[in-house]
Amino acid sequence: MSSTTAASAYDQYAPSRASLMGWLAVVSVMMGIFAIVTTEILPIGLLTSIGSDFTVSDGMAGLMMTMPGFLAAAAAPLVTAATARFDRRLMLCVFMLLLALANFLAAAAPDYWLVLISRIMVGITIGGFWPIGAGLAGRLVPPAFAGRATAVIFSAVPLGSVLGVPVGTLIGHFAGWRTALNVMGILAVGVLVMLFVFVPPLPPIQSTRLGVLGSMLRSAGTRFALLLTFLIVMAHFATYTYITPFLEQVTHVSGGLITTFLLLYGAAGILGNFLGGAWVTRYPRSVFGLAAGLIAGATLLLPVLGRWNAGAVVLLIVWGIAYGAVPVASQTWFSKAAPHTPEAASVLFTASFQATISAGALAGGIVLDRTSPSTVMLLGGCTAVLMLLVIGARFIERLTGPHGKERSGTCE
């Protein structure tokens, strides 16, 4: 959507100024993404307790991370196209209701297969809510405040790590993982009420057709964004999904201390999110490359230095700073590759990111069941190194090409 289109849409459907209701609507969308992100990655902190309750291996329990991502990747383009003519507020409310039901189903599940069904519901929610919510800032507040509102909405991603997962893990440690999921279901119901009360009616103003996504894939910039996103997200989620087994088996950390470690990781992620957001517009390749280098260093060193609490904490903080910059860097790259179709760029970003989360969690689980948590970390680090090599090769290609050097603010 062009800025002109966004402005006219705002004039027609949103308040005439950055009113309190407008910002409450922004916060409501942010809370929706916070609930989704926390629900999606909470199994990282509850992995071993859920697995032991159903007598499944850590790798099999990792399917809780695999299922939502694959479903979200498929749902993002299909659901967005299928619901393009429906009021966006209505769709946000429907998806939040689905998230609440998914959490309540998992909390009450007598068998592991019902937990996996609930994770399918989570995946559909991610694929439907995220592409809609990510692009709503310009319709909730005046265009002059759209950038700030977008930052508020996306702050939900690191907050899910720094607040949602540690708190959920803490609740699971003291009251059981079912209680933690019930709390997430109650949170989703609360967000549903917020969306209904504070978000104004939002008739669709632009339809995202599947053909638009196909044309984006023919762009070299989009394909390069897909490759980088695949490598860095694969490296991260193949390893971080199984950080709890690593801390338990290699670092020998107790359950309560693991929560503290995850909290420090999440706090570092917030710092990385703001640092990456400040630099990525001008230096997209540098931000991506630095993030990959830090993730590679942290995961490759964990099997050695992570045997001690201090070493594990330091490396998790470095890792958190690095990964905190990844979502904003990836989305910025997709947006720059398709500046005239932001909703389609958001759909493609969501689909590729979520598919790779699942692929990474699945690959890490297979390796974990056959080897050890340390081997998982080493292979993830090698994947991050491969991304560094890809970025370096593209940089050398551009230096020796007709343009001579990288231009600030470009991704290609």
Side-chain angles (χ1 to χ4, degrees), residues 72-303:
L78 297 177
V79 173
T80 303
T83 63
R85 297 184 179 182
F86 292 93
D87 184 279
R88 310 327 273 161
R89 179 182 69 168
L90 172 63
M91 296 315 304
L92 292 178
C93 291
V94 168
F95 290 125
M96 196 49 50
L97 175 61
L98 185 63
L99 183 71
L101 293 175
N103 278 296
F104 290 138
L105 174 62
D111 298 298
Y112 186 58
W113 66 270
L114 280 174
V115 175
L116 295 183
I117 288 179
S118 77
R119 300 301 286 175
I120 292 174
M121 297 164 65
V122 172
I124 295 173
T125 300
I126 297 168
F129 191 103
W130 188 278
I132 296 173
L136 282 182
R139 299 187 65 183
L140 301 176
V141 297
F145 295 91
R148 193 176 306 171
T150 299
V152 171
I153 289 174
F154 277 96
S155 68
V157 178
L159 280 175
S161 295
V162 71
L163 181 62
V165 173
V167 171
T169 303
L170 189 65
I171 294 172
H173 178 69
F174 288 107
W177 62 269
R178 294 182 187 274
T179 301
L181 294 181
N182 274 321
V183 170
M184 288 307 306
I186 294 170
L187 173 63
V189 171
V191 174
L192 169 61
V193 174
M194 290 179 64
L195 290 169
F196 184 79
V197 172
F198 297 126
V199 176
L202 297 169
I205 57 176
Q206 182 188 50
S207 297
T208 298
R209 299 183 301 275
L210 296 180
V212 175
L213 300 177
S215 65
M216 286 182 61
L217 291 174
R218 291 191 288 271
S219 163
T222 300
R223 292 197 299 270
F224 193 53
L226 285 170
L227 176 60
L228 294 185
T229 298
F230 171 79
L231 290 174
I232 193 66
V233 177
M234 172 69 74
H236 175 75
F237 277 96
T239 50
Y240 187 66
T241 301
Y242 305 100
I243 192 62
T244 296
F246 179 90
L247 293 174
E248 290 177 343
Q249 299 172 30
V250 179
T251 315
H252 303 294
V253 176
S254 63
L257 199 54
I258 287 176
T259 300
T260 302
F261 281 22
L262 294 179
L263 181 62
L264 291 172
Y265 166 88
I270 290 183
L271 176 61
N273 176 72
F274 285 109
L275 292 176
W279 294 336
V280 72
T281 301
R282 296 183 61 192
Y283 308 106
R285 181 180 289 107
S286 299
V287 171
F288 244 152
L290 182 60
L294 292 176
I295 290 175
T299 51
L300 291 174
L301 289 173
L302 263 174

